[in-house]
Each structure stands twice: as structure tokens, then as C-alpha cells.
Amino acid sequence: MTAVQHPDTFWNNMQTDFPDVNVAGNVMTGNLLTATFYGYSSAMLGITGFETSAQFVEEQAPGVFRKTLRNMWVFATLYNLLLSFLSLAVLPLEGRGGIYDDKDVVLASMGRVVAGKWLESWVSIDAFVVLAGGVLTSYVGITGLVRRLAFDRVLPAFLTYTNKWRGTNHYIILLFFVLQASLDRLLAVAPGWCLSAAIVLGPRSMIQI
């Protein structure tokens, strides 16, 4: 409704320049290709949870994993196109309260503009729950991976010890927590090394920083 009542917001956004892109420290002038490529790539990672798919591939029947990837691609394509157009129709790109200014809380800002403070709060709470689930997923994934490596004698056997009270591999959980928490300090003193560690530990590890 807001997009229909204020179509000038969308058309004004269409007249703005594409944002520049920082690629490994090199700033590239933004164009249609960079906006499409990096926007779609970010959507695949952030919206679908694509990087977590390897954690359940072993539990699927043959041929199902390929269908899972296909469905995620289709979902990311349709959903993010719709979401992008809606954001451009509701919020200005530049200026105070715009997409660039509120880049970390765009959906919440859209909710505030469309329906008021209550929807902004609702979206924020929902985002917190989703990210909390992402953090939990990282613990589930790393526990299964390290336990498998420990059973194969690639890692020390003490990591397979099971807590009799909770039935969990608490050594793995505690070790992963220490590694994740250390990224916060490493990010301040050695951002390059921290990025490499995050890639090794998994993309969702950065959520906890």
C-alpha cells in the first residue's frame, strides 16, 4: 500500500548511482553487474542458509540433496527480488533513515514506515530468534563434525566424551565457544586472520561476534 501511495520513492531510487563494491580491499565502481552478482550471492548465503546444507546431506536419501539446492536457488531468486523491490519502493536509498543509513536494520525500518513501531519491534524480535537459531545450528554442525573426526582418530579421543547428565559432548561445545569468543579479540588486532578463521569455522561463526 505504501509503495502504491508513494511511487516517487521507487523511481527516485532508480535514478541513483550503483554503490561501490569493496573486493578484497579493492574498491570497484558499482554497476548493474556488480549489484546483481554481489546482491544475489549475499542473498544465497544470508537468506537460504545455504552454507548449512552440508550438515544434513548425509541424512538425506540419494538425489534429495540436489533437489534441496534447486529449491533454495528458486526461493532465493523469487523472494529476494520481491524483497528488494519492496525495500526500494518503501525507503529511499540515500539520506537519513534510508537504506544506506539503516543498512543493518532495513526490514525493521520498512516495518516502521509501513505499519508503525509495533511492526518494527516484531521484525526485530523475529530477526533475533532467527539469528539465535543460526548460532545453534553452528553448534550442532561443529559437534557432529568434530565427533566424527574424533571417532576416526583424526582428533583426540577425549572429545567424544559424553556428559552423563545431558548426553552432550560438552568438551566440543566448550572448545568451540572459546574459539568463537576469541574471534572477537582477533578481529580488533588481526582482521585478516580472523576472516580466515571464520571461513574455516563456518560463515555463521561471524554471527556470534
Side-chain angles (χ1 to χ4, degrees), residues 3 10 14 80-90:
F10 178 81
M14 291 294 99
N80 285 285
L81 280 175
L82 175 62
L83 192 62
S84 297
F85 278 113
L86 286 176
S87 63
L88 291 172
V90 173

Side-chain angles (χ1 to χ4, degrees), residues 46-77:
I47 301 298
T48 65
F50 172 79
E51 76 283 1
T52 65
S53 58
Q55 297 172 4
F56 53 81
V57 61
E58 295 180 353
E59 302 176 7
Q60 294 180 334
V64 174
F65 183 62
R66 181 172 57 185
K67 296 178 181 178
T68 301
L69 297 183
R70 180 201 61 194
N71 293 341
M72 285 195 294
W73 276 81
V74 173
F75 175 79
T77 301

Side-chain angles (χ1 to χ4, degrees), residues 156-177:
F158 79 90
L159 293 171
T160 62
Y161 180 79
T162 301
N163 188 313
K164 296 180 180 179
W165 182 43
R166 302 294 297 175
T168 58
N169 303 104
H170 60 277
Y171 285 129
I172 299 176
I173 296 173
L174 293 175
L175 180 61
F176 186 59
F177 172 77

Side-chain angles (χ1 to χ4, degrees), residues 88-102:
L88 291 172
V90 173
L91 298 174
L93 276 172
E94 301 173 333
R96 183 174 179 81
I99 294 176
Y100 293 156
D101 188 46
D102 292 342

Side-chain angles (χ1 to χ4, degrees), residues 5-67:
Q5 293 176 346
H6 304 283
D8 54 303
T9 301
F10 178 81
W11 295 115
N12 289 337
N13 286 334
M14 291 294 99
Q15 304 303 317
T16 59
D17 296 330
F18 290 101
D20 294 336
V21 180
N22 189 327
V23 182
N26 298 321
V27 179
M28 298 175 53
T29 302
N31 52 49
L32 179 60
L33 179 61
T34 60
T36 303
F37 177 77
Y38 288 103
Y40 190 79
S41 299
S42 300
M44 277 297 297
L45 182 64
I47 301 298
T48 65
F50 172 79
E51 76 283 1
T52 65
S53 58
Q55 297 172 4
F56 53 81
V57 61
E58 295 180 353
E59 302 176 7
Q60 294 180 334
V64 174
F65 183 62
R66 181 172 57 185
K67 296 178 181 178

